[in-house]
Amino acid sequence: MTSQETLYTYTLRLADNALVLGQRLSEWTGHGPFLEEDLALTNIALDTFGTATSLLEYAAKVENKNRDADALAYRRNEREFCNILLVEQTNGDYAKTILRQSFIDAFNILLYTELAKSKDETLAGIAQKAIKEVSYHFRHTSSWVVRFGDGTEESHNKIQDALNELWRFTGELFEMDEVEEALVKQGIAVDAKSFQAKWETQLDELFAKATLKKPETSFMQTGGRKGLHTEHLGYMLSEMQTLPRMLPDAKW
Amino acid sequence: MENKNFEDVFEAKLVKNDMIEAKDWMPENYRKHLIRQISQHAHSEIVGMLPEGNWITRAPSLRAKKVLLAKVQDEGGHGLYLYTAAETLGTSRDELLDALHTGKAKYSSIFNYPTLTWADIGAIGWLVDGAAIMNQVMLQRTSYGPYARAMVRICKEESFHQRQGYEIMTHLSFGTKEQKEMAQDALNRWWFPTLMMFGPPDSESPNSENAIKWRIKRETNDQLRQRFVDQTVAQIEYLGLTLPDKGLKWNETKKGYDYSEPNWVEFKNVISGNGPCNKERLAARNASHKNGEWVRAAATAYAKKNAEPFMAA
């Protein structure tokens, strides 16, 4: 891999995480549990798409193959997406959506804080802008995790079920391969392993406050970063990409 | 005797174009009329999130997706201010939502039409929001203060939405053959339902008289409809689309267009629950409210345990 390809792959991984998560969140708009929360979750979706767009634009520029951000979002096939599996999981009930989001928010705060120091100025700039947003998101989602965990028996059971279901997808957040390793050496990428313990401690504290029990299994699913997805992604992409695929010559 | 004095004060305020505020005395009919109108407006905003929300996951570009998300979110925000304005008249959001969900309350019939293609998102922004603005601009000067102030902000956002809708129509109308056909088809389907948004002809509009007297409304249905047609014809011509009304003709005497009346039988059908999507819209609202019940219950239970304020409908 050339250093250009490495940077492209790294940026695209970050971008796809944001794009796919934003797409999932936006499915809630108009259907939230009450009006204020509908607006709040839509805000998170908007921020997430904003970050996705900046990252995709940069990936397109680095790739330099005459593809723009929309082409990357709308014209790649399922196996070319390199988001982690966690973000493509279906929304389920509100507890599952919120818990998934709180995992990502806690992770993103740590990620973007480090990435803001990157030697790559574009990535550093995108990260700086995103830090404020994701800190707000985590304040919102973590407070709901606590409300659900320590609310009613029903809400407790729902979020405990969500935790049991989703925990196996969190290992992928911290995976590193030759792409990240090469870029960490150059001071461009973030070494996610360096803050894994911090992330786990933060979540353990959150689970304790929410009276939730982390699953005992330590087995973690993997594959998304290499294009091996769960069955959910294909449906999401066929919906998302329908118009540009249907009318390939059209501009929107 | 005392009531008479209150009424004089109220009437005097109307005459002087002063605002009526929440704590002011007001006739019971005025209050009822406002609660009905403001809550219908609020319901229209949140039901209106559904047909447009229908295309969020399929918006064809990253920019289009963000614009549409922000727009639907704005509509939700409008719903929120309007429910709050209605609450100042002594009702609660719970009561109002209950009336919506049980089918007792009305909302704008236009949202009982389906959004079948992406062009419908353009047509809604351009035509439906355009028609709404005609009504809403005059409501910024309506006699009830909290409603008028909510409308100032709503109008600003709605004019932005109208431009966004027209932008979509422009892209489509100047795009490929298929895109242009999509735009024409959307115009064909949305034109007459949009004209219906101004309500029945003045001769058959039971609520107009009081509404005008109370300065809740300042122009009649037919006046507003005429202005909308006159303004929109040129926009259609610019797009190179054809208005689906063979009866459209410039009338030099009235300095406006003559146009065909919408199908008022269809209008009555849609209002009485038989539009293409009445059942779906109500079912979707009820489903999200019901699915949210445990979320609201959890928040309330947690707030009680932790002395944390939580208020939501």
Side-chain angles (χ1 to χ4, degrees):
Chain A
M1 240 189 230
T2 64
S3 65
Q4 182 196 17
E5 284 164 349
T6 315
L7 181 58
Y8 169 72
T9 305
Y10 181 65
T11 309
L12 198 61
R13 284 173 178 174
L14 296 174
D16 282 349
N17 283 344
L19 177 64
V20 170
L21 183 62
Q23 179 73 6
R24 277 289 181 235
L25 291 173
S26 72
E27 292 171 15
W28 273 105
T29 300
H31 305 279
F34 55 94
L35 201 41
E36 286 84 344
E37 194 54 27
D38 198 311
L39 303 182
L41 202 72
T42 303
N43 246 356
I44 299 179
L46 272 167
D47 288 343
T48 308
F49 276 125
T51 308
T53 307
S54 304
L55 287 165
L56 285 169
E57 279 166 356
Y58 188 48
K61 193 177 155 205
V62 171
E63 188 195 34
N64 199 19
K65 283 189 183 162
N66 211 18
R67 290 203 284 186
D68 61 8
D70 279 329
L72 289 176
Y74 288 91
R75 307 291 174 107
R76 277 181 302 145
N77 295 330
E78 183 189 332
R79 296 275 281 107
E80 297 168 279
F81 271 74
C82 47
N83 58 280
I84 58 170
L85 304 177
L86 179 63
V87 293
E88 72 199 39
Q89 297 310 300
T90 52
N91 284 334
D93 60 21
Y94 209 63
K96 187 176 163 193
T97 296
I98 284 289
L99 187 72
R100 180 187 62 201
Q101 189 62 31
S102 72
F103 290 165
I104 308 281
D105 293 339
F107 175 82
N108 278 345
I109 292 174
L110 300 166
L111 171 80
Y112 290 139
T113 303
E114 287 306 307
L115 193 62
K117 302 172 205 158
S118 170
K119 281 188 180 150
D120 183 301
E121 283 177 16
T122 307
L123 288 178
I126 294 170
Q128 265 154 19
K129 181 173 180 291
I131 290 172
K132 277 185 223 143
E133 295 169 354
V134 297
S135 308
Y136 167 74
H137 300 169
F138 187 61
R139 204 156 31 125
H140 189 76
T141 52
S142 62
S143 72
W144 275 110
V145 170
V146 176
R147 281 194 200 105
F148 288 154
D150 193 21
T152 62
E153 190 186 342
E154 186 182 8
S155 68
H156 177 88
N157 291 342
K158 281 185 194 292
I159 196 153
Q160 183 64 57
D161 286 349
L163 178 52
N164 298 344
E165 187 186 339
L166 290 177
W167 187 248
R168 67 200 156 114
F169 295 113
T170 56
E172 216 180 357
L173 284 165
F174 301 97
E175 279 180 17
M176 302 272 289
D177 64 11
E178 68 281 0
V179 170
E180 279 86 6
E181 279 157 11
L183 290 174
V184 166
K185 276 189 200 131
Q186 297 168 45
I188 291 173
V190 168
D191 178 0
K193 288 253 183 287
S194 71
F195 54 72
Q196 183 166 11
K198 197 169 174 189
W199 181 85
E200 279 175 13
T201 310
Q202 282 179 355
L203 284 196
D204 284 341
E205 284 166 11
L206 181 62
F207 297 152
K209 225 174 142 191
T211 69
L212 294 173
K213 204 162 158 269
K214 202 160 75 180
E216 277 169 20
T217 167
S218 59
F219 185 81
M220 289 294 166
Q221 296 292 339
T222 180
R225 286 156 37 91
K226 302 231 182 276
L228 292 165
H229 291 278
T230 56
E231 290 175 346
H232 305 300
L233 185 70
Y235 289 96
M236 175 196 275
L237 294 182
S238 46
E239 186 173 331
M240 183 174 93
Q241 298 179 336
T242 177
L243 274 173
R245 300 275 193 173
M246 195 194 296
L247 300 173
D249 300 327
K251 288 195 174 61
W252 309 93
Chain B
M1 187 64 197
E2 204 169 314
N3 247 12
K4 187 70 196 146
N5 285 341
F6 282 135
E7 202 161 347
D8 289 344
V9 173
F10 173 80
E11 297 286 346
K13 278 191 181 157
L14 289 185
V15 171
K16 281 196 294 180
N17 269 351
D18 282 352
M19 294 281 186
I20 310 296
E21 296 298 336
K23 287 182 178 166
D24 294 346
W25 183 91
M26 58 189 85
E28 224 20 57
N29 280 343
Y30 174 87
R31 185 185 299 275
K32 271 194 201 141
H33 186 108
L34 274 171
I35 292 177
R36 187 178 60 86
Q37 183 171 334
I38 299 173
S39 62
Q40 276 183 15
H41 190 167
H43 298 330
S44 303
E45 298 282 358
I46 62 166
V47 175
M49 296 171 83
L50 300 170
E52 297 187 87
N54 183 38
W55 278 89
I56 289 173
T57 56
R58 293 176 290 168
S61 72
L62 292 164
R63 181 173 179 275
K65 194 185 285 290
K66 284 185 284 185
V67 168
L68 183 58
L69 259 178
K71 188 202 165 182
V72 176
Q73 188 191 36
D74 282 349
E75 311 293 2
H78 299 171
L80 200 54
Y81 327 139
L82 289 165
Y83 283 123
T84 314
E87 282 180 320
T88 64
L89 292 158
T91 179
S92 71
R93 206 199 310 178
D94 274 341
E95 280 176 84
L96 297 176
L97 282 177
D98 191 55
L100 171 66
H101 294 148
T102 53
K104 268 187 250 158
K106 296 253 184 291
Y107 55 85
S108 180
S109 274
I110 194 80
F111 300 121
N112 290 318
Y113 289 87
T115 48
L116 301 179
T117 72
W118 174 247
D120 292 23
I121 300 306
I124 288 186
W126 169 41
L127 298 174
V128 173
D129 289 348
I133 292 167
M134 291 269 160
N135 267 313
Q136 291 170 354
V137 161
M138 77 178 171
L139 289 173
Q140 294 179 90
R141 297 174 294 130
T142 193
S143 61
Y144 187 57
Y147 191 25
R149 288 187 288 272
M151 292 317 301
V152 172
R153 179 159 173 193
I154 290 174
C155 279
K156 278 188 194 146
E157 293 177 350
E158 291 294 357
S159 8
F160 201 63
H161 297 167
Q162 193 192 15
R163 288 203 291 274
Q164 290 168 343
Y166 197 65
E167 185 193 71
I168 292 177
M169 294 306 280
T170 309
H171 280 154
L172 296 175
S173 300
F174 295 99
T176 65
K177 181 173 162 285
E178 291 92 340
Q179 282 177 304
K180 190 166 182 181
E181 282 168 7
M182 200 189 269
Q184 181 66 56
D185 170 60
L187 174 59
N188 294 349
R189 283 182 290 111
W190 289 93
W191 176 253
F192 283 110
T194 303
L195 292 190
M196 295 177 198
M197 284 175 69
F198 297 96
D202 294 349
S203 51
E204 293 163 36
S205 179
N207 292 314
S208 280
E209 204 183 316
N210 270 343
I212 295 212
K213 185 182 99 192
W214 288 326
R215 282 200 298 110
I216 292 173
K217 224 175 144 161
R218 289 173 169 255
E219 284 172 284
T220 70
N221 296 353
D222 286 334
Q223 285 169 335
L224 292 166
R225 188 164 20 240
Q226 181 69 51
R227 177 148 3 108
F228 176 78
V229 172
D230 292 344
Q231 166 188 300
T232 310
V233 169
Q235 296 169 353
I236 294 173
E237 283 168 359
Y238 172 80
L239 295 175
L241 299 179
T242 310
L243 199 129
D245 177 5
K246 292 206 172 72
L248 187 89
K249 207 174 67 195
W250 178 254
N251 180 332
E252 187 56 35
T253 320
K254 71 171 182 187
K255 301 277 178 215
Y257 287 92
D258 289 333
Y259 56 91
S260 307
E261 287 289 312
N263 180 345
W264 293 113
V265 176
E266 176 182 318
F267 178 71
K268 278 178 191 139
N269 260 325
V270 179
I271 280 199
S272 53
N274 296 318
C277 296
N278 295 56
K279 290 202 166 41
E280 286 80 355
R281 299 297 181 238
L282 217 51
R285 276 301 321 154
N286 271 296
S288 42
H289 192 69
K290 191 163 175 286
N291 292 335
E293 206 170 333
W294 70 267
V295 175
R296 300 187 298 273
T300 309
Y302 181 80
K304 260 188 202 155
K305 279 191 232 174
N306 294 277
E308 175 193 79
F310 174 75
M311 288 197 297

